[in-house]
Amino acid sequence: MTDVIGVSALNRYVKSVLDGDGFLADLALRGEISGFVNHVKSGHWYFTLKDERASVKAVMFRQEARRLGFVPQDGMRVVVRCRVSLYEATGSFQVYVQDLFPDGLGAAQLAFDQLKARLEQEGLFRPEHKMPLPAYPRCIGVVTSATGAALQDIRNVLSRRWPLATLLLAGVNVQGLAAAQEICDAITALDKSGLADVIIVARGGGSREDLWVFNDERIARAAYACKTPLISAVGHEIDVSILDYVADLRAPTPSAAAELATPDREMERKKVCTILSNIHEYMHSRLNLCYNELAAARRQAGRITGESLCRPKQDKLLSLCGALQEAKAGLLAEKGRSLASACALAHSLSPYAVLGRGYAVVRDEAGGYLPVAALQPGQTIRLQGTGAEARCRVEQVSQTQEDFDEKSEKL
């Protein structure tokens, strides 16, 4: 008899069978959305995928839904990357969506317009955020397929226009489910390396579906966060992607991007030649001017003699000598007057002048001066006058009236 099992065991077994199937673990599924529900509280999306003959439940969890650049709508045809499993609690067979892409012109345009409007509102397209390209890049980073025609076009342009620049390739897939993350990682890696002076994200032409990966929000945000000037070169001139709006510069083709990123060596050579020619002309002009000035100086020097050089100075020297003589005479006269005045004053104070007026000086025997008050009776003194000297004996010493008055005042 067959073993009896519970519903939980059955659901668990079926889930394990589905989860163990490698084909169902990573599946690309195309269908039309219906019954779309955006669960506000949890952020999960629930919807049904259907085609002409069947339908299947689908869920896209919040972390995956937040990466999507648009909100799906009922009736939109999409391609989803998913895994197939069973929800044990209800036994519901459903697909778990990791990524979702519009399928068809109408759906793709709606998704493009939604993402463009949201990123523009956030400011990712603002002109003031865009950086200028370096005039003479030494290293150009390229994010593209290593086997694509875009890389070869860029190499051809660089070798012709500016072979001095080094090309640094970050090879990626440029279409497919994994391409968006690879491109995003390559931009970030080149920017953080600091090796590239400018980065070109390139892909050759293709259908709208082939180029859709460059409308991915992750690539747009990686380009916005990039500190290195970035050029978008996706498809042809008529192809427009979200990356074109975010990039610092949009090029219509990969070849045009290489031209925009580099100067033309032939034009630069002509500029250098023009500058050198201008320098040479300027040097010749200066030399001719110096020669002319030197010749004029030589002619002038030939007309110069010692006499012509000294003549202007001679007049000045004579003038200075005259002024010096006048100053000397004035100074001598002033000093003579000062000396005469000093002599007159000294003569008026001379004791010999006093003697000339009839006075005499009292001296002792040794010739020293004696005051009258120091004289003693019987003392021999000498009286010296002008032209004669007398030897005398003091008979008596008496005080004069002036001395008496002076002593009275002291008492």
Side-chain angles (χ1 to χ4, degrees):
M1 181 179 177
T2 304
D3 294 336
V4 178
I5 62 173
V7 175
S8 297
L10 173 63
N11 287 356
R12 189 177 308 112
Y13 174 76
V14 174
K15 177 175 171 35
S16 66
V17 171
L18 294 176
D19 291 344
D21 191 323
F23 175 76
L24 300 178
D26 189 5
L27 188 65
L29 189 64
R30 175 183 281 111
E32 180 182 314
I33 292 178
S34 66
F36 179 81
V37 175
N38 184 357
H39 198 280
V40 178
K41 187 174 182 180
S42 66
H44 306 327
W45 292 350
Y46 301 94
F47 53 92
T48 299
L49 278 178
K50 65 180 183 178
D51 59 15
E52 293 80 3
R53 291 185 290 274
S55 64
V56 62
K57 297 292 184 180
V59 59
M60 192 172 189
F61 293 127
R62 179 178 57 188
Q63 58 269 28
E64 284 82 18
R66 291 175 62 181
R67 294 200 310 265
L68 204 61
F70 64 97
V71 179
Q73 297 180 0
D74 287 344
M76 180 182 291
R77 293 185 58 81
V78 295
V79 175
V80 300
R81 181 181 178 185
C82 63
R83 62 181 178 86
V84 179
S85 187
L86 186 80
Y87 183 52
E88 289 186 45
T90 62
S92 301
F93 171 78
Q94 59 186 10
V95 295
Y96 294 84
V97 179
Q98 284 92 40
D99 212 342
L100 187 149
F101 304 93
D103 183 32
L105 183 60
Q109 188 61 45
L110 176 62
F112 181 90
D113 293 340
Q114 287 183 1
L115 178 60
K116 179 175 178 291
R118 182 160 58 84
L119 296 183
E120 185 174 14
Q121 186 177 10
E122 291 183 27
L124 270 68
F125 305 159
R126 288 181 300 190
E128 57 269 23
H129 183 266
K130 300 185 183 301
M131 295 177 287
L133 302 184
Y136 303 99
R138 293 172 295 178
C139 180
I140 299 176
V142 179
V143 179
T144 190
S145 171
T147 59
L151 177 61
Q152 190 59 43
D153 292 342
I154 292 174
R155 280 176 173 164
N156 292 337
V157 173
L158 291 183
S159 63
R160 172 175 51 85
R161 284 177 61 86
W162 197 245
L164 296 176
T166 303
L167 191 148
L168 182 59
L169 174 65
V172 295
N173 288 313
V174 291
Q175 67 182 65
L177 298 176
Q181 190 60 48
E182 290 184 19
I183 296 171
C184 175
D185 294 341
I187 293 173
T188 303
L190 281 177
D191 182 43
K192 289 184 176 180
S193 71
L195 299 175
D197 298 315
V198 62
I199 297 174
I200 299 175
V201 181
R203 188 202 190 283
S207 64
R208 187 184 182 94
E209 291 75 14
D210 293 336
L211 304 178
W212 182 259
V213 64
F214 293 95
N215 294 321
D216 193 283
E217 183 177 356
R218 289 170 291 178
I219 298 178
R221 295 196 179 277
Y224 183 78
C226 184
K227 306 301 182 187
T228 306
L230 187 142
I231 303 175
S232 173
V234 178
H236 299 296
E237 188 170 0
I238 61 173
D239 300 315
V240 180
S241 65
I242 294 295
L243 178 61
D244 294 336
Y245 292 103
V246 182
D248 297 302
L249 184 66
R250 176 188 180 255
T253 62
S255 298
E259 292 184 358
L260 293 172
T262 56
D264 187 347
R265 67 173 177 176
E266 184 60 28
M267 293 183 63
E268 296 300 318
R269 188 189 66 80
K270 291 180 179 179
K271 289 180 182 178
V272 172
C273 291
T274 301
I275 293 173
L276 289 176
S277 177
N278 292 338
I279 292 174
H280 290 157
E281 290 181 3
Y282 178 77
M283 291 177 63
H284 285 301
S285 174
R286 293 293 298 172
L287 285 173
N288 290 333
L289 180 61
C290 291
Y291 287 147
N292 294 336
E293 292 179 353
L294 181 59
R298 283 177 175 173
R299 290 192 296 271
Q300 182 69 20
R303 294 191 294 267
I304 295 175
T305 63
E307 183 181 357
S308 63
L309 288 174
C310 294
R311 187 177 299 113
K313 305 297 182 182
Q314 182 181 7
D315 296 338
K316 186 175 182 181
L317 181 61
L318 292 175
S319 175
L320 291 176
C321 287
L324 182 61
Q325 292 296 332
E326 291 179 4
K328 177 183 176 182
L331 183 61
L332 287 175
E334 182 181 354
K335 296 302 180 183
R337 289 190 295 270
S338 297
L339 180 60
S341 176
C343 289
L345 178 61
H347 180 71
S348 67
L349 298 176
S350 173
Y352 297 103
V354 177
L355 295 178
R357 292 198 297 271
Y359 292 94
V361 178
V362 181
R363 295 178 182 272
D364 58 15
E365 289 292 335
Y369 291 99
L370 286 174
V372 176
L375 297 178
Q376 299 294 330
Q379 183 179 3
T380 301
I381 60 174
R382 296 160 55 190
L383 295 179
Q384 182 181 353
T386 302
E389 182 180 277
R391 186 179 182 86
C392 305
R393 180 182 295 273
V394 178
E395 295 292 335
Q396 182 182 356
V397 178
S398 60
Q399 295 181 344
T400 62
Q401 186 64 33
E402 288 81 0
D403 293 337
F404 179 81
D405 293 341
E406 181 178 355
K407 290 181 179 179
S408 299
E409 288 178 0
K410 289 182 179 179
L411 291 174

